[in-house]
Amino acid sequence: MDNQPPTPQAMPPLVSFILTRRLSCAAVMTIMLLGMWFPVVIPGLHPVITLLVMTMGMALHLMTPALVALITFGGGLRFALHVAAIASIAVTALSGFSLSAGLVTMLLYGLLPALSATVLMQLQGVRRSAQYVAIGTGIAVVLGLLLAAGTQDAGLRDWVNLLLEPLFADMASIPAEQMQAMQLFRESMVAVLPGLLALSLWMTWWGNVGLARRLAKKYGFYRGDEEDFLTLSFDKTLAYLFSVLILLMSIVTGDLLYLVANAAIVTGGLLAAQGVAVAHSWLKAKGLTFSIGLMYLMLLIWSAMIVPFVIVGLMDIWFDFRRRFPAAGG
């Protein structure tokens, strides 16, 4: 009896009404996408309130993929794409008929989470869903960088450096010792920013899909494979790609080296995610719940901690450590 799944809860009638109609779903999606512009629409607010509204708006914006995935679980891929298309038209109109804004809405915020949610319901859905999101967010970042750099007639690294310029505009007023440290920090940020951005997008988008699945299961409209997210594992292609990228870093130069190095950061981050899933499963199986929290805390405050997890993830692709212990949920 203890292993019985929880009884699905009834969704509030208003929420159920909204999520079963294309126009209302598209309206909610549009509002969430434009949430970070709320302070502009509502001028004259106190600075503290403006910051609070901006934070809440940004949170709503970043939760949009969860809404699209939730709609996909409930209404299917075609229904979700209809909603995304309507929202894209609305965003295009509200942004002064910017086709790029509508295209990004349709592809990045609509198609990608909808496809990821659809795949998640199938066999081996966790792996394939994670791969879809990784490929989609990676392509989005690369294309965004190339197009933005092209409009400024600058190299990729030079454009990223210009992008960070406002953050370091007041460096002339600080002591020489601190200026040197800040300059090194700036150079390191320029070196890794595209890769970190792609990884952050992957974690956000895929985390949104996971949250949507949890909500769909809670309210009883998730129909598909229920493989635990701790079973995350990538195939050997990712391991070979990571190895090739590391090798290319010693061969190529210029903007190509910049792209290769950041691609290596992304693939290493994906391998680290697999390593974290292995460690979490092992600690959970051993009942070391406190150590799980400590592990995530160390990852948060000490970036070098990611290296052992990259190695574990890389080795797990060949040795499948989780066969030796149950991949407990949590």
Side-chain angles (χ1 to χ4, degrees):
M1 293 294 291
D2 292 339
N3 294 326
Q4 292 291 330
T7 304
Q9 299 180 20
M11 183 172 288
L14 179 60
V15 177
S16 178
F17 177 84
I18 291 173
L19 292 182
T20 53
R21 284 157 177 79
R22 289 174 176 82
L23 284 177
S24 55
C25 284
V28 173
M29 182 178 174
T30 303
I31 291 171
M32 292 178 69
L33 282 167
L34 300 177
M36 59 184 173
W37 299 106
F38 287 165
V40 179
V41 179
I42 313 172
L45 295 175
H46 189 277
V48 175
I49 298 178
T50 299
L51 180 61
L52 180 61
V53 171
M54 186 180 296
T55 303
M56 293 177 61
M58 182 61 72
L60 277 176
H61 180 90
L62 294 176
M63 291 291 288
T64 306
L67 174 69
V68 175
L70 200 62
I71 294 168
T72 306
F73 292 139
L77 178 61
R78 180 178 295 181
F79 183 89
L81 292 181
H82 289 170
V83 170
I86 297 170
S88 300
I89 294 171
V91 169
T92 301
L94 292 171
S95 61
F97 294 95
S98 170
L99 294 179
S100 59
L103 190 62
V104 169
T105 298
M106 184 64 205
L107 297 180
L108 185 61
Y109 291 87
L111 179 61
L112 183 57
L115 283 177
S116 179
T118 301
V119 169
L120 187 62
M121 293 186 281
Q122 302 169 3
L123 290 177
Q124 294 186 334
V126 170
R127 169 188 291 183
R128 295 171 59 201
S129 174
Q131 288 175 337
Y132 272 44
V133 176
I135 292 170
T137 52
I139 291 174
V141 170
V142 171
L143 287 179
L145 280 174
L146 291 174
L147 291 174
T151 59
Q152 298 293 325
D153 194 23
L156 290 177
R157 192 183 186 101
D158 293 334
W159 184 84
V160 174
N161 190 34
L162 288 173
L163 184 66
L164 294 177
E165 179 69 33
L167 298 178
F168 300 90
D170 297 330
M171 285 179 56
S173 60
I174 64 176
E177 298 81 2
Q178 295 182 17
M179 183 181 295
Q180 185 177 8
M182 290 295 291
Q183 187 62 38
L184 289 174
F185 176 71
R186 177 177 178 173
E187 291 174 0
S188 64
M189 282 296 297
V190 170
V192 302
L193 185 62
L196 292 183
L197 177 59
L199 270 180
S200 299
L201 282 177
W202 175 75
M203 289 188 290
T204 303
W205 259 237
W206 200 53
N208 269 268
V209 174
L211 174 62
R213 188 179 79 164
R214 175 169 293 196
L215 290 173
K217 290 171 68 175
K218 178 180 179 180
Y219 292 108
F221 61 90
Y222 179 80
R223 299 290 183 271
D225 188 70
E226 298 191 7
E227 183 183 19
D228 195 282
F229 275 76
L230 286 178
T231 61
L232 172 66
S233 64
F234 297 98
D235 53 31
K236 294 179 181 178
T237 303
L238 184 68
Y240 293 137
L241 177 60
F242 181 68
S243 302
V244 169
L245 290 171
I246 295 299
L247 178 62
L248 283 175
M249 287 176 62
S250 61
I251 300 174
V252 298
T253 58
D255 279 351
L256 184 56
L257 174 60
Y258 190 60
L259 282 174
V260 167
N262 279 278
I265 291 172
V266 175
T267 53
L270 296 175
L271 290 170
Q274 179 167 337
V276 169
V278 171
H280 189 137
S281 297
W282 184 81
L283 292 170
K284 189 73 174 181
K286 297 295 183 180
L288 302 173
T289 53
F290 174 79
S291 298
I292 294 173
L294 183 61
M295 175 184 72
Y296 287 111
L297 178 62
M298 293 299 293
L299 278 169
L300 183 64
I301 64 177
W302 191 18
S303 58
M305 275 292 294
I306 198 173
V307 176
F309 291 103
V310 173
I311 297 171
V312 171
L314 194 60
M315 294 177 64
D316 183 61
I317 288 177
W318 278 279
F319 298 107
D320 193 5
F321 297 128
R322 280 163 290 190
R323 287 185 305 174
R324 306 176 188 180
F325 50 86

